[in-house]
Amino acid sequence: DAGAAGSGPGASQGGAYDGGVPPGAGGAGYALAGHDGFAQYTQNVQKGGPAYGDAELSQGLLGGSGAGGGGNDDDNEEGAGGGGSGGTIHFIAEKITITGKVSAVGGLGGRDDYHYSGGDRLCCDNGGPGSVGRIRLDYQSLEGTTAPQPGFTGSPPVCEGAL
């Protein structure tokens, strides 16, 4: 049986069944499409999930999506699952100071337990990495950086009176 599909609008499909070495599932999408899985043994590449939403964070699921699980084979060798996408970060302030790291990077794909022996994970029958997430900053003054760069920046809303 194939692995289960991920969840959310950027979900990737589940990994495929293979009688030898199952291919890795694709990563989940969000700001970009998820990376395809790897299929050294079968060449049956599993697609990454689609990109969705917009940089202003005005619609859709405000968070990441899950990636598909790895497939299987006759001797119960599980394929590698895909990496989940990065999430959503939205800061609103007059002044934003970032002294550490603000990150919405997606997860690495799972590791193939047959061909992979370490090093670069973008190979073999590993799962594909998930897409980066989205960062929005609304501010008057900013110090520091984010990864990825903010997809949208604006001014904080002006609120008058008590809420």
Side-chain angles (χ1 to χ4, degrees), residues 5-156:
S7 60
S12 60
Q13 65 189 8
Y17 169 85
D18 187 82
V21 179
Y30 186 20
L32 306 170
H35 197 290
D36 292 346
F38 297 90
Q40 174 180 321
Y41 183 80
T42 65
Q43 305 304 309
N44 180 10
V45 175
Q46 307 295 292
K47 291 290 186 189
Y52 67 94
D54 61 42
E56 292 184 31
L57 308 178
S58 64
Q59 63 181 347
L61 173 69
L62 295 181
S65 290
N72 209 333
D73 67 4
D74 293 330
D75 64 358
N76 205 32
E77 178 177 61
E78 293 81 15
S85 70
T88 299
I89 299 172
H90 186 182
F91 290 145
I92 303 171
E94 290 293 321
K95 180 178 180 179
I96 298 174
T97 302
I98 300 169
T99 57
K101 184 175 190 176
V102 173
S103 175
V105 176
L108 295 172
R111 294 180 295 206
D112 154 27
D113 63 359
Y114 188 79
H115 292 110
Y116 181 72
S117 60
D120 183 5
R121 289 179 66 162
L122 303 180
C123 73
C124 311
D125 292 288
N126 292 337
S131 165
V132 295
R134 295 187 186 275
I135 298 174
R136 176 177 171 169
L137 304 176
D138 292 329
Y139 61 89
Q140 294 295 328
S141 172
L142 172 68
E143 295 176 20
T145 60
T146 66
Q149 290 294 313
F152 181 83
T153 58
S155 297

